[in-house]
Amino acid sequence: KLPMLEPSDSAECIAYIKAAYEISEEYDTPVLFRICTRAAHSQSLVTEEDRKEPVAVPYEKKPAKYVMMPGYAKLKHPVVEERTLKLTDYANNSGINEISGTSEELGIITSGICYQYVRETFSEDEAKVLKIGMHNPLPTELIKDFAASVKRVVIVEELDDIIEKHCKALGLEVEGRNLFSP
């Protein structure tokens, strides 16, 4: 139930970590930041910006907020569900998940370092690409709209087929694991 961001290169690492702090403050939640070894060891151009000092907020001891024992967790659950809905809306509309390319035939949904591999393999006119920058919650409406804009959808992701399973649960006809070795 926590938001998770996954950058595909060094410049996105900077942009997404800033976004993670903003999301954390706006939605009052921890944010997971996933980065694979390949992206962590890669080099790409980044633009330096001046540091912006946030306003220091004093810590207040609030066990009902920070200690999720059963009595507190039960009361907090509706708040977490409401936050997840708001974060899904954010994922659909914030621009952190990007579409590029012009193909109407092939659409590829990918994330993280796999996005770089897809872009090295396919030109802008060979494949339309939906790059997922916010992995959780996944942008349901954006994925549906993307899938409707192409004839064939292929999921390219590392290890587990999380995006593929999500797309199939939405009722979309997608390919992924069946095309690649497990």
Side-chain angles (χ1 to χ4, degrees):
K1 300 289 184 175
L2 295 178
M4 183 174 78
L5 305 181
E6 182 177 12
S8 66
D9 63 21
S10 303
E12 282 185 0
C13 283
I14 293 172
Y16 285 14
I17 208 70
K18 288 178 181 180
Y21 278 104
E22 291 168 5
I23 291 167
S24 177
E25 290 300 313
E26 184 176 340
Y27 296 95
D28 194 26
T29 183
V31 177
L32 299 173
F33 191 78
R34 180 181 186 271
I35 186 167
C36 69
T37 304
R38 175 79 70 196
H41 292 216
S42 69
Q43 296 179 13
S44 62
L45 295 175
V46 297
T47 303
E48 291 185 27
E49 296 177 12
D50 291 334
R51 181 184 169 100
K52 296 175 185 168
E53 282 295 326
V55 176
V57 178
Y59 174 75
E60 265 185 70
K61 190 173 182 176
K62 296 180 184 177
K65 179 179 178 182
Y66 298 115
V67 181
M68 285 299 105
M69 296 185 61
Y72 296 144
K74 186 176 180 181
L75 297 173
K76 188 78 171 176
H77 187 74
V79 174
V80 171
E81 292 300 325
E82 179 64 29
R83 180 184 69 210
T84 301
L85 291 174
K86 289 177 182 175
L87 285 165
T88 301
D89 186 54
Y90 175 86
N92 281 312
N93 300 304
S94 70
I96 203 159
N97 302 302
E98 302 173 11
I99 296 175
S100 61
T102 59
S103 176
E104 294 178 3
E105 295 294 319
L106 175 62
I108 299 174
I109 302 175
T110 189
S111 66
I113 198 67
C114 292
Y115 170 76
Q116 300 298 340
Y117 300 146
V118 167
R119 273 291 147 230
E120 286 177 13
T121 306
F122 296 96
S123 69
E124 291 282 323
D125 60 333
E126 289 177 317
K128 185 184 249 185
V129 178
L130 170 56
K131 178 178 64 169
I132 304 288
M134 187 169 192
H135 244 271
N136 191 50
L138 285 166
T140 305
E141 293 306 314
L142 186 61
I143 290 171
K144 287 179 184 177
D145 292 346
F146 177 81
S149 73
V150 293
K151 292 180 182 172
R152 180 181 182 205
V153 178
V154 175
I155 312 296
V156 178
E157 58 188 324
E158 289 184 285
L159 303 174
D160 295 327
D161 50 347
I162 294 165
I163 299 171
E164 183 177 347
K165 285 179 180 173
H166 181 76
C167 290
K168 287 180 177 177
L170 294 174
L172 301 175
E173 203 171 302
V174 299
E175 300 174 82
R177 298 289 278 188
N178 63 314
L179 301 174
F180 308 103
S181 59

